[in-house]
PDB file of all heavy atoms in Angstrom:
ATOM      1  N   ARG F 302      72.321 106.388 110.226  1.00 81.00           N
ATOM      2  CA  ARG F 302      72.553 107.744 109.740  1.00 81.00           C
ATOM      3  C   ARG F 302      71.821 108.788 110.569  1.00 81.00           C
ATOM      4  O   ARG F 302      72.434 109.744 111.064  1.00 81.00           O
ATOM      5  CB  ARG F 302      72.134 107.855 108.275  1.00 81.00           C
ATOM      6  CG  ARG F 302      72.306 109.271 107.710  1.00 81.00           C
ATOM      7  CD  ARG F 302      72.063 109.324 106.229  1.00 81.00           C
ATOM      8  NE  ARG F 302      72.221 110.673 105.716  1.00 81.00           N
ATOM      9  CZ  ARG F 302      72.115 111.000 104.423  1.00 81.00           C
ATOM     10  NH1 ARG F 302      71.881 110.068 103.520  1.00 81.00           N
ATOM     11  NH2 ARG F 302      72.265 112.253 104.033  1.00 81.00           N
ATOM     12  N   TYR F 303      70.518 108.607 110.733  1.00 81.00           N
ATOM     13  CA  TYR F 303      69.736 109.656 111.383  1.00 81.00           C
ATOM     14  C   TYR F 303      69.795 109.569 112.905  1.00 81.00           C
ATOM     15  O   TYR F 303      69.660 110.585 113.594  1.00 81.00           O
ATOM     16  CB  TYR F 303      68.299 109.618 110.868  1.00 81.00           C
ATOM     17  CG  TYR F 303      68.226 110.028 109.423  1.00 81.00           C
ATOM     18  CD1 TYR F 303      68.121 109.077 108.417  1.00 81.00           C
ATOM     19  CD2 TYR F 303      68.325 111.373 109.064  1.00 81.00           C
ATOM     20  CE1 TYR F 303      68.092 109.453 107.076  1.00 81.00           C
ATOM     21  CE2 TYR F 303      68.290 111.750 107.731  1.00 81.00           C
ATOM     22  CZ  TYR F 303      68.182 110.795 106.742  1.00 81.00           C
ATOM     23  OH  TYR F 303      68.173 111.173 105.421  1.00 81.00           O
ATOM     24  N   GLY F 304      70.054 108.371 113.429  1.00 87.00           N
ATOM     25  CA  GLY F 304      70.287 108.264 114.862  1.00 87.00           C
ATOM     26  C   GLY F 304      71.578 108.962 115.250  1.00 87.00           C
ATOM     27  O   GLY F 304      71.627 109.710 116.244  1.00 87.00           O
ATOM     28  N   SER F 305      72.624 108.753 114.455  1.00 90.00           N
ATOM     29  CA  SER F 305      73.902 109.436 114.708  1.00 90.00           C
ATOM     30  C   SER F 305      73.743 110.942 114.573  1.00 90.00           C
ATOM     31  O   SER F 305      74.319 111.712 115.354  1.00 90.00           O
ATOM     32  CB  SER F 305      74.961 108.926 113.729  1.00 90.00           C
ATOM     33  OG  SER F 305      75.197 107.547 113.902  1.00 90.00           O
ATOM     34  N   LEU F 306      72.962 111.369 113.581  1.00 92.00           N
ATOM     35  CA  LEU F 306      72.756 112.800 113.377  1.00 92.00           C
ATOM     36  C   LEU F 306      72.019 113.430 114.552  1.00 92.00           C
ATOM     37  O   LEU F 306      72.357 114.527 114.999  1.00 92.00           O
ATOM     38  CB  LEU F 306      71.983 113.029 112.080  1.00 92.00           C
ATOM     39  CG  LEU F 306      71.693 114.485 111.697  1.00 92.00           C
ATOM     40  CD1 LEU F 306      72.990 115.275 111.550  1.00 92.00           C
ATOM     41  CD2 LEU F 306      70.888 114.541 110.411  1.00 92.00           C
ATOM     42  N   MET F 307      71.021 112.727 115.074  1.00 94.00           N
ATOM     43  CA  MET F 307      70.268 113.261 116.203  1.00 94.00           C
ATOM     44  C   MET F 307      71.154 113.420 117.437  1.00 94.00           C
ATOM     45  O   MET F 307      71.113 114.442 118.127  1.00 94.00           O
ATOM     46  CB  MET F 307      69.076 112.354 116.509  1.00 94.00           C
ATOM     47  CG  MET F 307      67.958 112.416 115.466  1.00 94.00           C
ATOM     48  SD  MET F 307      66.618 111.241 115.825  1.00 94.00           S
ATOM     49  CE  MET F 307      66.025 111.893 117.386  1.00 94.00           C
ATOM     50  N   ILE F 308      71.956 112.397 117.708  1.00 92.00           N
ATOM     51  CA  ILE F 308      72.881 112.500 118.841  1.00 92.00           C
ATOM     52  C   ILE F 308      73.896 113.606 118.594  1.00 92.00           C
ATOM     53  O   ILE F 308      74.234 114.381 119.500  1.00 92.00           O
ATOM     54  CB  ILE F 308      73.590 111.155 119.076  1.00 92.00           C
ATOM     55  CG1 ILE F 308      72.560 110.073 119.433  1.00 92.00           C
ATOM     56  CG2 ILE F 308      74.628 111.282 120.181  1.00 92.00           C
ATOM     57  CD1 ILE F 308      73.145 108.674 119.506  1.00 92.00           C
ATOM     58  N   GLY F 309      74.357 113.696 117.359  1.00 93.00           N
ATOM     59  CA  GLY F 309      75.306 114.748 117.011  1.00 93.00           C
ATOM     60  C   GLY F 309      74.731 116.132 117.208  1.00 93.00           C
ATOM     61  O   GLY F 309      75.441 117.057 117.621  1.00 93.00           O
ATOM     62  N   CYS F 310      73.445 116.291 116.930  1.00 95.00           N
ATOM     63  CA  CYS F 310      72.803 117.594 117.117  1.00 95.00           C
ATOM     64  C   CYS F 310      72.811 118.020 118.582  1.00 95.00           C
ATOM     65  O   CYS F 310      72.943 119.204 118.899  1.00 95.00           O
ATOM     66  CB  CYS F 310      71.372 117.559 116.592  1.00 95.00           C
ATOM     67  SG  CYS F 310      71.256 117.558 114.783  1.00 95.00           S
ATOM     68  N   ILE F 311      72.684 117.041 119.477  1.00 95.00           N
ATOM     69  CA  ILE F 311      72.740 117.363 120.907  1.00 95.00           C
ATOM     70  C   ILE F 311      74.118 117.910 121.266  1.00 95.00           C
ATOM     71  O   ILE F 311      74.246 118.927 121.955  1.00 95.00           O
ATOM     72  CB  ILE F 311      72.413 116.111 121.748  1.00 95.00           C
ATOM     73  CG1 ILE F 311      70.972 115.669 121.483  1.00 95.00           C
ATOM     74  CG2 ILE F 311      72.639 116.377 123.230  1.00 95.00           C
ATOM     75  CD1 ILE F 311      70.616 114.345 122.142  1.00 95.00           C
ATOM     76  N   TYR F 312      75.155 117.241 120.785  1.00 93.00           N
ATOM     77  CA  TYR F 312      76.518 117.734 121.031  1.00 93.00           C
ATOM     78  C   TYR F 312      76.729 119.094 120.375  1.00 93.00           C
ATOM     79  O   TYR F 312      77.407 119.970 120.931  1.00 93.00           O
ATOM     80  CB  TYR F 312      77.541 116.740 120.503  1.00 93.00           C
ATOM     81  CG  TYR F 312      77.718 115.509 121.362  1.00 93.00           C
ATOM     82  CD1 TYR F 312      77.336 114.251 120.909  1.00 93.00           C
ATOM     83  CD2 TYR F 312      78.275 115.602 122.631  1.00 93.00           C
ATOM     84  CE1 TYR F 312      77.496 113.123 121.694  1.00 93.00           C
ATOM     85  CE2 TYR F 312      78.438 114.477 123.425  1.00 93.00           C
ATOM     86  CZ  TYR F 312      78.053 113.241 122.951  1.00 93.00           C
ATOM     87  OH  TYR F 312      78.214 112.127 123.734  1.00 93.00           O
ATOM     88  N   ALA F 313      76.156 119.288 119.189  1.00 94.00           N
ATOM     89  CA  ALA F 313      76.314 120.561 118.488  1.00 94.00           C
ATOM     90  C   ALA F 313      75.658 121.699 119.260  1.00 94.00           C
ATOM     91  O   ALA F 313      76.214 122.806 119.367  1.00 94.00           O
ATOM     92  CB  ALA F 313      75.728 120.463 117.082  1.00 94.00           C
ATOM     93  N   ILE F 314      74.473 121.454 119.807  1.00 96.00           N
ATOM     94  CA  ILE F 314      73.776 122.483 120.600  1.00 96.00           C
ATOM     95  C   ILE F 314      74.610 122.844 121.821  1.00 96.00           C
ATOM     96  O   ILE F 314      74.757 124.028 122.168  1.00 96.00           O
ATOM     97  CB  ILE F 314      72.382 121.969 121.013  1.00 96.00           C
ATOM     98  CG1 ILE F 314      71.480 121.878 119.779  1.00 96.00           C
ATOM     99  CG2 ILE F 314      71.752 122.899 122.053  1.00 96.00           C
ATOM    100  CD1 ILE F 314      70.165 121.161 120.030  1.00 96.00           C
ATOM    101  N   MET F 315      75.181 121.836 122.469  1.00 96.00           N
ATOM    102  CA  MET F 315      76.031 122.094 123.630  1.00 96.00           C
ATOM    103  C   MET F 315      77.253 122.922 123.243  1.00 96.00           C
ATOM    104  O   MET F 315      77.652 123.852 123.961  1.00 96.00           O
ATOM    105  CB  MET F 315      76.455 120.766 124.261  1.00 96.00           C
ATOM    106  CG  MET F 315      75.311 119.966 124.861  1.00 96.00           C
ATOM    107  SD  MET F 315      75.770 118.252 125.277  1.00 96.00           S
ATOM    108  CE  MET F 315      77.096 118.528 126.448  1.00 96.00           C
ATOM    109  N   ALA F 316      77.860 122.583 122.103  1.00 94.00           N
ATOM    110  CA  ALA F 316      79.049 123.304 121.653  1.00 94.00           C
ATOM    111  C   ALA F 316      78.722 124.753 121.314  1.00 94.00           C
ATOM    112  O   ALA F 316      79.463 125.674 121.674  1.00 94.00           O
ATOM    113  CB  ALA F 316      79.650 122.598 120.441  1.00 94.00           C
ATOM    114  N   VAL F 317      77.606 124.964 120.616  1.00 94.00           N
ATOM    115  CA  VAL F 317      77.205 126.327 120.258  1.00 94.00           C
ATOM    116  C   VAL F 317      76.898 127.139 121.511  1.00 94.00           C
ATOM    117  O   VAL F 317      77.247 128.329 121.607  1.00 94.00           O
ATOM    118  CB  VAL F 317      75.995 126.293 119.312  1.00 94.00           C
ATOM    119  CG1 VAL F 317      75.417 127.689 119.124  1.00 94.00           C
ATOM    120  CG2 VAL F 317      76.390 125.695 117.961  1.00 94.00           C
ATOM    121  N   PHE F 318      76.278 126.506 122.490  1.00 95.00           N
ATOM    122  CA  PHE F 318      75.974 127.201 123.743  1.00 95.00           C
ATOM    123  C   PHE F 318      77.258 127.669 124.427  1.00 95.00           C
ATOM    124  O   PHE F 318      77.332 128.810 124.905  1.00 95.00           O
ATOM    125  CB  PHE F 318      75.185 126.275 124.680  1.00 95.00           C
ATOM    126  CG  PHE F 318      74.867 126.894 126.012  1.00 95.00           C
ATOM    127  CD1 PHE F 318      73.862 127.845 126.132  1.00 95.00           C
ATOM    128  CD2 PHE F 318      75.589 126.539 127.147  1.00 95.00           C
ATOM    129  CE1 PHE F 318      73.569 128.425 127.358  1.00 95.00           C
ATOM    130  CE2 PHE F 318      75.311 127.107 128.376  1.00 95.00           C
ATOM    131  CZ  PHE F 318      74.296 128.055 128.481  1.00 95.00           C
ATOM    132  N   ARG F 319      78.263 126.809 124.451  1.00 93.00           N
ATOM    133  CA  ARG F 319      79.537 127.208 125.066  1.00 93.00           C
ATOM    134  C   ARG F 319      80.179 128.364 124.308  1.00 93.00           C
ATOM    135  O   ARG F 319      80.792 129.244 124.902  1.00 93.00           O
ATOM    136  CB  ARG F 319      80.483 126.008 125.124  1.00 93.00           C
ATOM    137  CG  ARG F 319      80.120 124.999 126.207  1.00 93.00           C
ATOM    138  CD  ARG F 319      81.261 124.033 126.463  1.00 93.00           C
ATOM    139  NE  ARG F 319      81.484 123.156 125.320  1.00 93.00           N
ATOM    140  CZ  ARG F 319      80.933 121.962 125.194  1.00 93.00           C
ATOM    141  NH1 ARG F 319      80.107 121.501 126.124  1.00 93.00           N
ATOM    142  NH2 ARG F 319      81.196 121.211 124.138  1.00 93.00           N
ATOM    143  N   VAL F 320      80.052 128.335 122.982  1.00 93.00           N
ATOM    144  CA  VAL F 320      80.599 129.431 122.186  1.00 93.00           C
ATOM    145  C   VAL F 320      79.892 130.745 122.511  1.00 93.00           C
ATOM    146  O   VAL F 320      80.521 131.789 122.693  1.00 93.00           O
ATOM    147  CB  VAL F 320      80.490 129.118 120.676  1.00 93.00           C
ATOM    148  CG1 VAL F 320      80.834 130.360 119.847  1.00 93.00           C
ATOM    149  CG2 VAL F 320      81.410 127.967 120.306  1.00 93.00           C
ATOM    150  N   LEU F 321      78.564 130.694 122.605  1.00 93.00           N
ATOM    151  CA  LEU F 321      77.800 131.901 122.915  1.00 93.00           C
ATOM    152  C   LEU F 321      78.167 132.449 124.293  1.00 93.00           C
ATOM    153  O   LEU F 321      78.277 133.671 124.477  1.00 93.00           O
ATOM    154  CB  LEU F 321      76.305 131.607 122.839  1.00 93.00           C
ATOM    155  CG  LEU F 321      75.759 131.278 121.449  1.00 93.00           C
ATOM    156  CD1 LEU F 321      74.290 130.905 121.531  1.00 93.00           C
ATOM    157  CD2 LEU F 321      75.961 132.461 120.503  1.00 93.00           C
ATOM    158  N   VAL F 322      78.384 131.566 125.257  1.00 94.00           N
ATOM    159  CA  VAL F 322      78.815 131.997 126.583  1.00 94.00           C
ATOM    160  C   VAL F 322      80.174 132.686 126.493  1.00 94.00           C
ATOM    161  O   VAL F 322      80.405 133.734 127.110  1.00 94.00           O
ATOM    162  CB  VAL F 322      78.877 130.805 127.554  1.00 94.00           C
ATOM    163  CG1 VAL F 322      79.545 131.216 128.869  1.00 94.00           C
ATOM    164  CG2 VAL F 322      77.482 130.267 127.830  1.00 94.00           C
ATOM    165  N   GLY F 323      81.062 132.115 125.689  1.00 92.00           N
ATOM    166  CA  GLY F 323      82.376 132.718 125.514  1.00 92.00           C
ATOM    167  C   GLY F 323      82.307 134.076 124.847  1.00 92.00           C
ATOM    168  O   GLY F 323      83.044 134.998 125.208  1.00 92.00           O
ATOM    169  N   VAL F 324      81.418 134.207 123.868  1.00 91.00           N
ATOM    170  CA  VAL F 324      81.254 135.494 123.181  1.00 91.00           C
ATOM    171  C   VAL F 324      80.754 136.556 124.156  1.00 91.00           C
ATOM    172  O   VAL F 324      81.225 137.697 124.160  1.00 91.00           O
ATOM    173  CB  VAL F 324      80.276 135.340 121.996  1.00 91.00           C
ATOM    174  CG1 VAL F 324      79.882 136.715 121.452  1.00 91.00           C
ATOM    175  CG2 VAL F 324      80.905 134.494 120.895  1.00 91.00           C
ATOM    176  N   VAL F 325      79.799 136.191 125.013  1.00 92.00           N
ATOM    177  CA  VAL F 325      79.256 137.140 125.987  1.00 92.00           C
ATOM    178  C   VAL F 325      80.328 137.555 126.991  1.00 92.00           C
ATOM    179  O   VAL F 325      80.449 138.730 127.349  1.00 92.00           O
ATOM    180  CB  VAL F 325      78.043 136.519 126.718  1.00 92.00           C
ATOM    181  CG1 VAL F 325      77.605 137.414 127.887  1.00 92.00           C
ATOM    182  CG2 VAL F 325      76.892 136.319 125.749  1.00 92.00           C
TER     183      VAL F 325
END
Side-chain angles (χ1 to χ4, degrees):
R302 178 172 180 177
Y303 292 101
S305 298
L306 181 59
M307 289 176 64
I308 298 172
C310 286
I311 296 173
Y312 284 113
I314 291 170
M315 294 168 60
V317 170
F318 178 76
R319 285 195 292 267
V320 170
L321 293 176
V322 171
V324 169
V325 171

